[in-house]
Amino acid sequence: MSTWVRAFTMLGAMIAGLAGAAVAQDDDIGWPREMRVAGATIVIYQPQLEAFEGDSLTGRAAVSVTMDGQTEPTFGAFWFAAFLQTDRETRTANIVEFHVPRVRFPEVTEDQQNQLKGILELEVPSWDMTISLDRIQTGIELAQHEHAASENLATAPPTILFTTEPSILVLLEGDPVMHDVENTDMQRVVNTPFAIIHDPATSAYYLYAGQETWFSATDVMGPWALSSNTPEKVASLVPPDTAQAELAEEDTATFEIENLVVVVATEPTELIISNGPPQYASVDGTDLLYINNTESDVFREIDTQKFYIVLAGRWYSAGTLDGPWIFVPSDSLPGDFAMIPPESARGSVLPYVAGTDEAMDAVLDHSIPQTSAIHRDGTLEVTYDGDPQFEVIEGTEMRYAVNTESQVLEIGGVYYVCDEAVWYMSNNPTGPYTVTVEVPDDVQDIPPENPNYNVKYVYVYDYTPEIVYVGYTPGYTWSYIYGPTVVYGTGYYYHPWVSPYYYYPRPVTWGFHIRYNPWYGWSFGFGVGYGAFHFGFYSGPSYWRRGWWGPGGYRHGYHRGYHRGYGQGYRRGYRAGYAAGQRNSNVYNRQRNAARNVDRGTARSQMSQRQRSGGAARTQAGQRPATSQPQRAQGRDNNVFTDNSGNVYRRNQDGSWQMRDNQNWNQADRSRVEGGGQGGDRSRDAARQQPSTRQSTTNRSGNLSREDQNRQRGAQRTQSYGRSRSRGGGRRR
């Protein structure tokens, strides 16, 4: 085997470096990566991604080979297409199938290039490869997989209440609905996630406040007072472990609980609480003030004296804190919002501000699916309150079941259920339901006004006789791209199913002080205003699986981690939030779903077998060449790129660009590397950019300056993730 062939063989192993050398994201060794082979040194630069749709990833990478005895390397490029199995919880992805459709080394022969292509396709599927999702995310410049679908979300504000007293918001869906508690003489208010028990004998209501604390009232609307003598028959109905937070010592409330005001609302409402009269502080480098004695995000613009708040990712403005409030698109905010320093006390709002790196990161993150391989022989049972009842989905020919907690659709006489991000089908509404490998396109027509809107973000990518490859993007857990930023919930109110025996709630947008965290999504809180405090909820599968908070479920990480870093800036607050949020947020990895999942090694083996049976090249005598793992290339900058034509460029420290030509670096035409986009570092007051509405998330091929920026951001995010894990963020609860 010639030195060049051995070099190409080793280059195949370098593609495993695309995977982080089979290590977790926090151990990412960085780029470029280098490998020594007999007679040559190979350096591969960080891959440049071109498109990421569903579980399919395509891109290209620049590479150099320096033969022993030579001082100048030979540069080239290769293109790849891969299928990924992603895990958003650990922010990693495994390659389960890999193809090299094209290589370009202008200074070697065509036969040598073909040898390289065959070796790559043979070798790569056998490696255990893990890719940093943050490097993928920032390598996709104009990600907008879900933008067009979420344009019609509701933005009308809920009722916004402002108070200066320590308070808790208890949300009911309309007037109280009472159900008898089985085997007791008690009743429960079922149209709220809070534990409210009614004793008909005394006409008293009891509200469970967690930590073995109860409030009581003679009317469910209040006033409520701390209960000093809650009957045992009431207390016994709510087990002590019901959604209880294990509060750390520094998170305990710093107020007297008997002073807590319980605010009950029967319509969508948000409660803004300040610790006494509002106190203002300035945001460095801006003409903005913020209220610093509240945990809500409340700003005041000095010039206009207008107030701005952000709720569930949506901005609202008013002349006074009492309203009226009007919706403000994130790209219509005063320019000073984009100038908020990330480390400032309100840097945590930057994901909601159009044009910021933090907002772009959040949008890009929503294009990355959570994927899994599922056994095709799985089945599902669906239960109804009586006979199945269906209603038409407005604007379509589909119908959906209303008297079940399951998301059942009737499409063309066939019944489909999306359960825990897997699709099932049956010819009968009551089943039996089996895993399906096809989802009708009609699903994409479900409007956001319908409570099943989220299932359009669950996909089937591929299948074998035994396995189906599935995935979902954050839209399934009610997190959406809206314009250039992300929001939680559709903003619509969905009518629950109510009967004498059942209450099936639907996901809500308002009432739970929702905040976004880039490491694990959205978390929920309840106000109080003086330190963390946790109310207890009544147990019930609907509440945690598909009820009040949809498939994402309730996460009280805000109180357990994010709260500690809040007010200390985007990075500190969100890293603290990661420590609280690492709690099996991946739907596929939940314990109840474990039996459905196929082992990753088995899934990868099946995909690789399919690939090889398709005619992948073999090495001489059918032997697989020995490979080893690449190492970080010392003393080399990660500054070499390739364009769509395979031309190789590098960016110098002074910002200039050079193009490789005839074994020399020559000054590059600026227009070729800028591609019509912005060059240099992107300032916070740069013109805001609307995401593309194309289904593809393909980069503009010539904008290498933007790719350089994204490469740097990806490295920073990967390092930040690693630091958060090393500080205990990876601990499972």
Side-chain angles (χ1 to χ4, degrees), residues 4 6-16 18 31-35 37 40-48 60-67 72-80 100 102-108 112-113 116-117 120 630 633 636-643 646-650 660 665 711:
W4 262 107
R6 284 194 296 270
F8 286 161
T9 300
M10 292 290 92
L11 179 57
M14 299 287 286
I15 307 305
L18 196 161
W31 297 90
R33 299 182 183 178
E34 179 179 279
M35 178 176 288
V37 301
T41 299
I42 301 174
V43 176
I44 184 171
Y45 293 85
Q46 183 174 335
Q48 299 160 239
R60 61 190 188 274
V63 64
S64 71
V65 179
T66 305
M67 309 302 295
E72 288 295 324
T74 298
F75 282 85
F78 66 89
W79 285 254
F80 62 86
V100 180
R102 180 185 174 198
V103 297
R104 183 172 185 263
F105 275 79
E107 297 162 3
V108 302
Q112 289 171 326
Q113 291 192 107
L116 167 61
K117 181 176 181 293
L120 292 178
R636 294 180 184 268
D637 294 330
N638 189 27
N639 63 343
V640 179
F641 300 80
T642 179
D643 63 16
N647 300 308
V648 177
Y649 298 82
R650 74 177 180 188
R660 188 73 175 180
W665 290 107
R711 182 176 287 185

Side-chain angles (χ1 to χ4, degrees), residues 525-547:
F526 304 97
V528 174
Y530 303 96
F533 189 77
H534 179 75
F535 258 60
F537 292 138
Y538 200 92
S539 61
S542 297
Y543 296 170
W544 318 120
R545 291 178 54 202
R546 289 182 288 269

